[in-house]
Amino acid sequence: NFNMEMDFDESKHKSYKLYNFRRPDKFSKDNLRALRDIHREFSKAISLILSGYLRMRVEIEIVSVDQLTYEEFVRSMPTPISVGVFEFEPLSGQILLGMGFEVLSCIINRMLGGNGIIDTKSRDLTDIEKALAKKVINIIIKSLEDSWNTIIPVTGKFISLDDNYQSIQVATAGEIVALLTFEVQIFGKHYGLFSICFPYPV
């Protein structure tokens, strides 16, 4: 009888779960797992592409997939940061790709013929550096497009490059987004992170 009561109590306990009405979960565990799988393949592909393009060893690995509100996402992002806004036609809405200054400065230094040295002093990008940043972001978008095409045919379309998230409004403050965070290593050294934000409507 004791065992039966224990089983009954446990089944009662498992019959419900807490639900946060202020921040409902819109992405299921399967959705998040699928996003991780797609972007694990993307991270392998873009590592090879950037290694060849920059002629130095670049390793990119997905480290987390989370869901949070757009407001929480914007507040959690560092500054300064370069933000590429793009679309995946025919999907509705816009996607954000954020690259920290330390990662981008290292890549741009290499594109300009340098040794891939980090500029440790954060600053705004020059016009030439912005043009090079757009080129890198377009390479990343094309690789993302190829990875997504294994699930659904999409065409990446670059929209704009911004230097913060505050001036970008691709979702309402309370809208749920999926945030994918990637670790970037160059020459085997840790140089920081970049992220991709998919609003739920996308």
Side-chain angles (χ1 to χ4, degrees):
N1 287 343
F2 177 72
N3 288 337
M4 287 179 64
E5 287 174 9
M6 285 290 291
D7 291 342
F8 180 69
D9 288 342
E10 285 179 10
S11 65
K12 278 201 307 183
H13 181 69
K14 292 177 182 176
S15 65
Y16 67 90
K17 64 178 182 177
L18 295 175
Y19 190 83
N20 187 344
F21 285 93
R22 291 175 63 89
R23 201 186 82 178
D25 289 343
K26 288 190 174 181
F27 293 94
S28 69
K29 288 182 180 179
D30 287 341
N31 292 153
L32 297 176
R33 192 178 300 114
L35 282 172
R36 179 179 284 276
D37 290 344
I38 292 169
H39 294 90
R40 186 182 291 116
E41 294 306 309
F42 155 73
S43 62
K44 292 176 184 175
I46 195 62
S47 295
L48 291 172
I49 290 167
L50 288 179
S51 292
Y53 182 71
L54 299 171
R55 299 184 307 282
M56 62 181 183
R57 183 159 58 96
V58 178
E59 297 176 38
I60 298 174
E61 181 180 353
I62 186 165
V63 292
S64 66
V65 180
D66 303 290
Q67 62 177 315
L68 62 168
T69 66
Y70 186 68
E71 182 180 33
E72 289 170 333
F73 159 70
V74 170
R75 284 205 314 261
S76 69
M77 289 295 103
T79 54
I81 190 166
S82 294
V83 185
V85 183
F86 67 100
E87 295 175 353
F88 264 172
E89 297 174 344
L91 304 181
S92 62
Q94 295 180 331
I95 304 161
L96 303 178
L97 191 158
M99 297 192 75
F101 180 77
E102 68 282 356
V103 173
L104 203 50
S105 69
C106 177
I107 291 173
I108 289 173
N109 177 275
R110 185 66 174 175
M111 291 173 77
L112 291 170
N115 295 321
I117 298 170
I118 288 182
D119 189 342
T120 54
K121 187 178 180 181
S122 297
R123 56 175 174 76
D124 292 335
L125 299 179
T126 66
D127 288 343
I128 291 175
E129 289 171 333
K130 285 179 181 177
L132 294 173
K134 288 179 185 177
K135 194 168 186 177
V136 172
I137 289 171
N138 271 304
I139 290 171
I140 293 172
I141 291 171
K142 181 65 177 70
S143 183
L144 271 172
E145 176 188 311
D146 292 341
S147 296
W148 271 77
N149 278 336
T150 61
I151 306 297
I152 180 174
V154 293
T155 302
K157 180 184 176 185
F158 177 83
I159 303 298
S160 64
L161 178 69
D162 291 89
D163 57 9
N164 65 74
Y165 284 101
Q166 280 69 33
S167 60
I168 305 170
Q169 194 65 44
V170 300
T172 60
E175 182 62 82
I176 300 297
V177 301
L179 172 62
L180 290 77
T181 305
F182 300 82
E183 181 183 78
V184 183
Q185 292 187 25
I186 299 175
F187 293 133
K189 299 177 182 177
H190 180 251
Y191 279 94
L193 306 170
F194 79 89
S195 62
I196 303 174
C197 170
F198 290 96
Y200 181 74
V202 179

